[in-house]
Amino acid sequence: VGKQARTDLLATPEQRALMFRRINEIRATKPLFGMDFWNDGQYAKGCIAGGRRYFHITAAGDVEPCAFIHYSNVNIHDVSLMDALRSPIFMQYRRRQPFNDNPLRPCPLLDNPEILVDMVKESKAKSTDMEAPEDVEELTAKTREAARKWVPVAEKIRPRPKAAQTAQGTKTTQAAQAAAQAAEQVAQASEQAGQSSTPPPTAPSA
């Protein structure tokens, strides 16, 4: 965010996947529920900004949907809080959330930049950066490549719904049971074959 932002400091797909695995390791081994602001869309049901769970007001009073999304239609000095939450950019957020069906791709800036462009343009929101106003196309041009690279990794490690996990577990159990039954049948057949090939006992000689 910002015209001088260094895109080389963005987390790589590998680093982001590591964060996802690590936070889940902590939850599995510690008596606490750590949170990952970026990778916990499955618990927050996607992006929480735009007034859905939080929003941001700048020092100048501009009401923004997120602390990282510096676009606004209104200033808190001119409108009520309720009117600010009903402003065009906020309404765009609420109409479109969640921004992706993959909970590991919740952010409109870092994961779905094309959606952010549409929201800002349709709402006619203005840049609130007082030092160097930034066009939304210019902003998202810095995140598109990172978003593209994250897609295959996010699809590979995405959390599956519990129903899908249960179905997969049922299939695995059924396959294991079938294999066990087949092994038992083979063992029984082998035992029967061994018995039939054993010569009958001979009568003792006189």
Side-chain angles (χ1 to χ4, degrees), residues 89-134:
I89 186 68
F90 278 74
M91 296 305 293
Q92 283 289 323
Y93 261 71
R94 290 201 287 280
R95 288 192 190 107
R96 296 169 184 257
Q97 288 165 323
F99 299 116
N100 201 291
D101 64 357
N102 186 336
L104 294 180
R105 298 176 59 201
C107 180
L109 173 59
L110 296 171
D111 300 317
N112 307 278
E114 68 286 348
I115 294 179
L116 179 60
V117 170
D118 289 344
M119 291 194 297
V120 171
K121 288 187 174 182
E122 290 190 24
S123 67
K124 295 181 172 56
K126 305 299 183 184
S127 174
T128 59
D129 191 321
M130 298 178 67
E131 183 179 13
E134 189 170 27

Side-chain angles (χ1 to χ4, degrees), residues 181-197:
Q181 290 174 354
E184 179 66 21
Q185 291 171 355
V186 170
Q188 290 175 353
S190 298
E191 183 178 350
Q192 291 172 357
Q195 290 174 350
S196 62
S197 62

